[in-house]
Amino acid sequence: MNGHRDPRYYSPEEEELTTLNGYHGVQNPPTSPSNFDFEFHDIPSPRPVVPFRPGHTQSPGPGNRNSPPEYGSPGWLHPNRTSDVPETWMNSPYESRSTSPTLYQNTPVQQSLQSLVAPLVNTPGSPGYAKEWVQAGSASIARINDRDDADIWKGWKRWVFFFTPFLTFANTSIYLFYLGLRIYCIIMAQREADVTYAGAWVFVAIEIAVAIPSLMHNCWTMLALKKRGRPKLRLTGNDCPTVDVFVTCCGEEDELVLDTVRGALNQDYPSDRFRVIVLDDGKSAILEDMINQLKPAHSNAFYMAREKIPGKPHHFKAGNLNYGLDEVHKLPGGAGEFMAALDADMIPEQDWLRAVVPHLLVDPKMALACPPQLFYNTPASDPLAQSLDFFVHVIEPIKDALGVAWCTGSGYVVRRVALDEIGNFPLGSLAEDVATSTLMLGKGWKTAYIHEPLQFGTVPEDYGGHLKQRTRWAIGTVDTAFKLKFCIWGDAVRRMTIAQRFSGFLYATLSLYTLLLTASLFAIPIILLWGKQLVAYANDTELHWLIWACFAATLSNRLCEFALFIPAGYNTGQRGSRYQLWMSPYIALCIVRSFMLPKWLGGQTQAFKPTGSLGSALNERDPKTRKNILVRLRVILFNFMALFHFAFVYVTLVAVVISSYRCFYVAHGFKDVVKCLITHAFWPPLTFLFICTSLWTPVSYAIDPPSMPEREDLLARDPKTGVAHPTTKSKKIAFGGQAAWFELQYTVSTVATILIFVYSFFW
């Protein structure tokens, strides 16, 4: 997953996009490592990574990139290494160690890994990171806690979350029983009345369609039974491995990028062991001057901008990163052993490198380690579900436990040798991060998810930017899945485990599933206006069983949601459920355009693009400069196609009113009216209400957008160094009125389900 990036990275006007037939790599010079094509031909043997060499100022050209390393003097060099590392160290990386760091290089394969195995200390570290740990001498690794997320959530929450797999299994079983009972009762009702209940069949089909994503997620969630045991580690001492930190940007505000660069330079990591390299695809002369002004105080700061020839594919962010991977060989000392990447807006915490790097050091097969993407400008209630809290706090830890952690797009640290083996970052993908980690897993490498708050960035501050970001992710995931054959077969995924293949298949399928979900949404107002009975049954006994089964499924689902959402927060999880509904039409539309429509009918691989000309930005979150409500409604309803959401809600509510009127008009007696209402429009848990409130999100956002302060007001800036970090308050999502409204709606539907259940005993 990627943070907020400039749209120009992905603009089809800026460069040619690839087709479904495969990725098209650029033709690299003979010395370039970027020889990966996405038809997965054999890749040349990886080039050894040259460590930084003290006193070496000549640019290592093609003839000397693989020159033997020179050690013996201080500067940009790897720590001293020997080849007598006990094999047990590799098999038990988290045990205590007491010797100096060594290089495990007994065989050519092991030598190519060039992994620094650092010792773990027996004495427990302080609760948090402390600068006094940085001492002269050999590096070591302190084990701070048995869990890397020990400071994020703990206590009773962990005990409740432990039961999530069992609750999920129970909920899934009950719901499948309920669906089976629904189908059985329709069949029995048709035999009894000798008619076809078309409305009931359509309604149960919609229920199944809406339930499929939840059922698929339930299958994945049940795997949380496998305990995740990634510890919280810190690299101590000043004899650390070398790291090239890339900050990628393309037209973002210069001050935004500079804050990220300052945060990266301010790492509590030996300054002669890492470099911060700005890879600017926007070629900002102002930004270049800003970086040059930092060099007197930070000699490890560099600025690079590649030449982008019009008409020649530039391959988005992956092309920019690959350019940096090649160019660092020309810097004094050559390339670092590890490469790290930060998005332009992602400000790293001071202990970022010391927290992530050790997870790569203790395991020579660990190719990539990444922390979550967190944000400091998320508005109260997070109306568009822009925070990734559910994904980063629930889904990613489960995936990590099963050995299938995804690269999150920013803040990650990767082993250069592993990148060499897959031919550097894959070209031609809108989701180069997902493709990179997947290809590494397919080669037998490991990936790790570090569940610590180590970086904070910004979410898109406008509705259009949010749509473009999320549809780009969806298209990139599906595109990568097609080219990797959904991680089911092929040379690229040959060494994947069953869990890793299932994960790749699941998340690509969920994106494609938005097509079916969107189609089912169209059917809801139609069947309500149709006036047909939605729930068919042969007698009152069957109706009783249907209500009881529905009650059990609803309550078990509520309980399961509460337990599952605990790491991210209950309201965050509910926002995610609503987000899947209202975003489905946008994602489905982009998938149709990208993978189904021919070019002559408007098909092209791109994220959501608004219709017409917007004229000017809405500035909807700035209370001083935001456009008035009429302009906001016009742009979001028409240019951003939320008119579908608006029409759906109103047609559905009108259909509910008409259906209810028919019940009062046709039925006789209180009991018959209640039965009619339940089986025609108000079947628990009032699904239409949840769908309507979810799809109303774009309209409510246009009417009453959240107000946000200036970015500077969300930061605590050091007046001397200019280094800024988000304030404690800005890192948290405030509970706002919209969250309260949705909780009220959820409570009403739950109470209605209970009342219908109780009343069923009285007829």
Side-chain angles (χ1 to χ4, degrees):
M1 311 288 289
N2 302 328
H4 175 43
R5 305 183 194 137
D6 190 272
R8 281 181 286 175
Y9 255 126
Y10 308 93
S11 172
E13 290 82 1
E14 186 180 10
E15 65 175 274
E16 178 185 352
L17 292 165
T18 60
T19 63
L20 187 59
N21 296 329
Y23 299 114
H24 303 291
V26 295
Q27 296 298 319
N28 296 299
T31 58
S32 171
S34 301
N35 294 326
F36 191 91
D37 66 29
F38 269 93
E39 294 182 7
F40 307 105
H41 298 294
D42 291 336
I43 298 172
S45 301
R47 182 186 63 249
V49 177
V50 181
F52 295 110
R53 299 191 288 278
H56 183 78
T57 58
Q58 179 185 359
S59 297
N64 61 4
R65 280 191 184 180
N66 298 334
S67 302
E70 302 171 6
Y71 300 109
S73 62
W76 295 77
L77 72 162
H78 292 292
N80 295 328
R81 295 166 174 172
T82 63
S83 58
D84 57 351
V85 181
E87 186 176 354
T88 54
W89 283 30
M90 296 301 153
N91 299 328
S92 182
Y94 294 135
E95 295 177 1
S96 297
R97 311 283 184 251
S98 58
T99 58
S100 302
T102 57
L103 175 64
Y104 190 62
Q105 50 184 11
N106 294 330
T107 68
V109 174
Q110 293 160 346
Q111 184 176 9
S112 70
L113 298 178
Q114 295 200 7
S115 301
L116 176 65
V117 180
L120 299 178
V121 296
N122 286 317
T123 54
S126 57
Y129 186 79
K131 275 195 171 184
E132 57 267 21
W133 288 7
V134 184
Q135 303 169 357
S138 299
S140 62
I141 300 176
R143 184 180 180 126
I144 308 304
N145 199 289
D146 290 339
R147 295 188 63 103
D148 53 3
D149 55 4
D151 298 330
I152 299 177
W153 62 292
K154 49 192 172 183
W156 65 269
K157 294 182 178 180
R158 287 201 182 277
W159 286 102
V160 175
F161 187 75
F162 173 78
F163 293 98
T164 296
F166 306 102
L167 293 172
T168 303
F169 178 79
N171 177 51
T172 304
S173 302
I174 293 172
Y175 194 76
L176 290 176
F177 170 78
Y178 162 72
L179 289 177
L181 184 62
R182 285 286 310 281
I183 295 172
Y184 169 80
C185 288
I186 295 174
I187 295 174
M188 296 306 294
Q190 290 183 158
R191 289 180 179 177
E192 181 77 17
D194 195 24
V195 296
T196 300
Y197 286 93
W201 283 116
V202 174
F203 185 55
V204 77
I206 293 173
E207 284 190 299
I208 293 174
V210 174
I212 286 177
S214 297
L215 293 175
M216 294 178 70
H217 262 300
N218 286 354
C219 293
W220 184 250
T221 304
M222 282 186 279
L223 298 177
L225 189 61
K226 181 176 181 180
K227 186 178 180 181
R228 179 177 178 270
R230 196 167 301 285
K232 182 177 182 178
L233 305 177
R234 286 297 183 273
L235 183 63
T236 70
N238 61 3
D239 202 2
C240 304
T242 52
V243 185
D244 287 318
V245 179
F246 292 154
V247 178
T248 56
C249 56
C250 183
E252 294 87 352
E253 295 180 9
D254 294 328
E255 287 295 337
L256 181 80
V257 179
L258 193 62
D259 281 339
T260 299
V261 174
R262 288 195 187 110
L265 290 169
N266 194 46
Q267 289 298 296
D268 209 341
Y269 200 87
S271 61
D272 61 341
R273 314 301 293 161
F274 79 105
R275 295 183 293 214
V276 177
I277 303 156
V278 178
L279 300 176
D280 183 14
D281 254 2
K283 281 194 174 182
S284 168
I286 297 176
L287 179 61
E288 181 178 11
D289 183 62
M290 288 177 169
I291 302 304
N292 290 334
Q293 291 180 23
L294 294 174
K295 292 188 74 68
H298 301 281
S299 59
N300 57 339
F302 297 86
Y303 175 91
M304 295 181 182
R306 59 177 172 159
E307 182 181 3
K308 298 169 72 175
I309 302 173
K312 181 179 179 180
H314 307 134
H315 298 290
F316 314 121
K317 182 180 178 183
N320 197 14
L321 288 168
N322 286 344
Y323 167 78
L325 289 173
D326 283 344
E327 289 300 305
V328 291
H329 287 286
K330 302 175 184 177
L331 294 178
E337 183 177 2
F338 296 100
M339 185 222 95
L342 289 167
D343 279 349
D345 61 328
M346 278 287 171
I347 302 176
E349 298 290 278
Q350 194 175 34
D351 54 346
W352 164 54
L353 286 178
R354 288 191 178 271
V356 178
V357 170
H359 293 273
L360 293 157
L361 300 182
V362 296
D363 188 346
K365 291 299 291 180
M366 188 66 69
L368 180 146
C370 53
Q373 283 199 31
L374 303 173
F375 307 97
Y376 63 88
N377 71 330
T378 308
S381 293
D382 190 13
L384 301 182
Q386 291 179 285
S387 75
L388 302 174
D389 283 4
F390 182 73
F391 181 80
V392 302
H393 294 312
V394 179
I395 300 300
E396 271 291 277
I398 294 175
K399 293 174 65 186
D400 185 43
L402 297 168
V404 62
W406 269 357
C407 175
T408 51
S410 177
Y412 59 88
V413 180
V414 61
R415 196 183 298 273
R416 283 295 302 261
V417 174
L419 273 176
D420 279 350
E421 187 170 349
I422 66 168
N424 288 352
F425 290 94
L427 303 175
S429 172
L430 294 180
E432 84 293 329
D433 44 11
V434 175
T436 298
S437 50
T438 303
L439 290 171
M440 286 178 171
L441 293 173
K443 289 292 183 181
W445 291 92
K446 300 177 184 178
T447 56
Y449 179 70
I450 316 305
H451 196 189
E452 295 187 55
L454 296 172
Q455 60 174 345
F456 290 87
T458 59
V459 298
E461 295 181 341
D462 63 285
Y463 187 74
H466 173 70
L467 293 185
K468 191 162 188 174
Q469 180 194 63
R470 296 306 174 90
T471 53
R472 184 180 70 238
W473 292 351
I475 293 172
T477 301
V478 174
D479 188 44
T480 301
F482 272 121
K483 292 161 185 175
L484 295 176
K485 300 174 183 177
F486 285 84
C487 298
I488 297 177
W489 77 93
D491 291 340
V493 298
R494 182 172 46 190
R495 300 183 65 179
M496 277 189 175
T497 64
I498 293 177
Q500 290 168 349
R501 292 170 191 259
F502 177 62
S503 173
F505 174 80
L506 171 66
Y507 287 98
T509 304
L510 287 176
S511 295
L512 286 173
Y513 179 75
T514 57
L515 297 170
L516 181 59
L517 182 58
T518 303
S520 68
L521 291 177
F522 276 102
I524 291 176
I526 294 175
I527 64 170
L528 286 173
L529 288 172
W530 194 7
K532 298 294 183 180
Q533 187 172 327
L534 302 183
V535 180
Y537 56 94
N539 50 59
D540 283 354
T541 301
E542 289 186 3
L543 179 58
H544 287 159
W545 275 103
L546 285 171
I547 291 175
W548 298 341
C550 183
F551 168 80
T554 301
L555 269 294
S556 65
N557 185 58
R558 298 291 188 268
L559 184 61
C560 184
E561 286 176 341
F562 177 78
L564 178 62
F565 295 162
I566 275 181
Y570 175 74
N571 289 309
T572 297
Q574 296 296 352
R575 280 195 297 269
S577 300
R578 295 190 295 270
Y579 164 84
Q580 289 180 357
L581 285 172
W582 73 262
M583 271 297 296
S584 290
Y586 291 111
I587 295 175
L589 177 63
C590 289
I591 288 177
V592 169
R593 287 176 174 173
S594 299
F595 305 109
M596 298 181 183
L597 287 182
K599 286 188 176 181
W600 60 274
L601 279 178
Q604 57 183 146
T605 304
Q606 66 173 38
F608 178 81
K609 183 178 180 180
T611 60
S613 175
L614 299 185
S616 60
L618 293 177
N619 296 326
E620 63 261 32
R621 297 188 185 178
D622 189 337
K624 298 179 181 178
T625 62
R626 67 166 55 120
K627 300 296 183 181
N628 63 61
I629 184 172
L630 294 178
V631 174
R632 297 198 304 268
L633 280 170
R634 175 178 60 82
V635 170
I636 290 180
L637 289 179
F638 294 96
N639 296 90
F640 291 112
M641 303 175 66
L643 189 62
F644 165 79
H645 300 72
F646 182 88
F648 174 90
V649 172
Y650 269 92
V651 173
T652 301
L653 293 179
V654 168
V656 169
V657 171
I658 294 174
S659 180
S660 301
Y661 172 77
R662 288 182 183 139
C663 288
F664 285 102
Y665 181 78
V666 174
H668 302 284
F670 181 77
K671 184 175 71 171
D672 289 339
V673 170
V674 171
K675 284 184 180 180
C676 181
L677 290 174
I678 291 173
T679 57
H680 283 74
F682 293 91
W683 184 252
L686 309 186
T687 305
F688 80 89
L689 183 61
F690 178 74
I691 295 176
C692 284
T693 54
S694 298
L695 267 75
W696 191 250
T697 297
V699 183
S700 63
Y701 180 85
I703 295 173
D704 185 25
S707 296
M708 288 297 295
E710 295 290 336
R711 190 177 71 90
E712 189 65 26
D713 297 333
L714 302 173
L715 300 171
R717 189 178 299 277
D718 187 321
K720 295 182 179 179
T721 63
V723 176
H725 288 280
T727 63
T728 302
K729 182 180 179 181
S730 68
K731 294 177 181 178
K732 299 178 181 179
I733 302 174
F735 183 86
Q738 190 183 70
W741 160 249
F742 280 119
E743 187 56 40
L744 175 63
Q745 169 257 308
Y746 225 53
T747 302
V748 167
S749 64
T750 304
V751 171
T753 302
I754 296 173
L755 291 177
I756 292 172
F757 169 75
V758 172
Y759 183 69
S760 68
F761 290 96
F762 294 94
W763 72 57

